Amino acid sequence: MTRAPVLRATDRGLYCAAGDFFIDPWRPVGRALVTHGHSDHARPGHRAYLCTPLTAPVLRLRLGEVAVETLAWGVPLRIGGATVSFHPAGHVPGSAQIRVEVAGEVWVVSGDYKTEADGLSDPFEPVPCHSFVSECTFGLPVFRWAPQAEVMAAINAWWQANAAAGRASILGAYALGKAQRILAQLDPAIGPILTHGAVEAVNEALRAAGLALPATERVVPGTGAAARPGAFVLAPPSALGTPWARRFGPAAEAFASGWMRLRGVRRRRGLGTGFTLSDHADWEGLNAAIAATGASRVFVTHGYTAPFRRWLEEQGYEAGIVETEFRGEETGEEPETNPDGEPG
């Protein structure tokens, strides 16, 4: 008799029958195990949430006073007939892969992940398993990232040049993860660092949870070019080109994303400058991460699923696709909602 799979896809998300829980479900369920706090993975309406300690404050910021329990890295927890544990995904602070074991069979759900250590998030750790459910947001060979140090040197040089010319530098970056990653690598000697309210709300939640971040100044009514000449402004991408951004006068605008690898995306956004910096694994990172798990079965989700599945089958894996309602970075749009109502 064939044993039921550890996880199966449903119209609400990945479901574990042995433990009666879902992983990153997009419709209300009784118990949700959440990989990280981006709004396409952490949805409202669940009766109970389980996540990492650093994800919990982000859930409360965005969802209100929901019922949240936390689980530290690598600690096994028995839920019904399943044993689960959380392991670093390296995507954003607190992001996790979720390991699920039932009767000796191990599945791992990656959530979103990147394989380059960024100095802020707990770095990605391969987790041995029989079946691996991997995101593949950037699952095409064209997506290959330069080292973070190289990209950040370019961002700091751009800021320095703008400040010398008397312009503010407004960089669009996702409010959770990308913004903090950039903030931690900026050179504060160049000038003041300002943040959009959506970014600063996340900064405050993470600082309160113990994450060390450099000092920033929230943009408030009256903040503008005259008050902070040559400032570096971190804002959600959707704030670019808006009245909110125009308060800084003639300013240079740019966007930091893996999608800046594609010239067409920069053109559509009307940006002269784009920095290719992603919180997702690139082509080489995806392949290395999958190989490191030792899994023989790989299910791909969230991104270029059809071509990446074909590639995996050519490499000898048993491969499948997990359909999802997640959007996030796969469309080049911001995955986060704005927690404080400001444009963004």
Side-chain angles (χ1 to χ4, degrees), residues 62-205:
R62 292 183 159 171
L63 305 179
E65 286 303 315
V66 292
V68 180
E69 295 180 359
T70 63
L71 190 64
W73 298 130
V75 176
L77 176 66
R78 188 76 174 175
I79 304 177
T83 300
V84 305
S85 54
F86 288 176
H87 304 267
H91 174 57
V92 300
S95 62
Q97 304 172 79
I98 299 179
R99 181 186 187 273
V100 184
E101 181 173 353
V102 176
E105 185 176 354
V106 177
W107 288 47
V108 171
V109 178
S110 74
D112 292 338
Y113 66 96
K114 70 174 180 292
T115 53
E116 181 186 28
D118 62 17
L120 188 65
S121 306
D122 289 284
F124 177 87
E125 294 180 3
V127 182
C129 57
H130 301 102
S131 297
F132 187 47
V133 181
S134 174
E135 66 122 321
C136 61
T137 301
F138 293 106
L140 292 178
V142 67
F143 295 111
R144 299 174 191 265
W145 313 145
Q148 173 178 279
E150 182 179 320
V151 180
M152 285 307 308
I155 290 174
N156 279 309
W158 172 74
W159 178 19
Q160 179 72 70
N162 292 332
R167 294 189 299 266
S169 302
I170 307 175
L171 184 64
Y174 302 137
L176 169 60
K178 187 75 60 61
Q180 292 76 35
R181 179 184 180 186
I182 291 168
L183 174 59
Q185 301 294 324
L186 289 174
D187 180 0
I190 298 173
I193 301 171
L194 310 182
T195 53
H196 184 285
V199 173
E200 193 57 26
V202 176
N203 289 349
E204 290 172 353

Side-chain angles (χ1 to χ4, degrees), residues 281-295:
D282 66 359
W283 173 258
E284 292 178 349
L286 288 168
N287 281 280
I290 290 167
T293 68

Side-chain angles (χ1 to χ4, degrees), residues 107 130-134 136 290 295-301 304-322:
W107 288 47
H130 301 102
S131 297
F132 187 47
V133 181
S134 174
C136 61
I290 290 167
S296 58
R297 292 183 302 274
V298 181
F299 299 91
V300 294
T301 189
Y304 292 97
T305 53
F308 197 61
R309 175 192 182 178
R310 288 195 297 271
W311 164 257
L312 291 173
E313 289 175 336
E314 291 169 2
Q315 309 314 303
Y317 292 98
E318 179 185 342
I321 294 174
V322 175

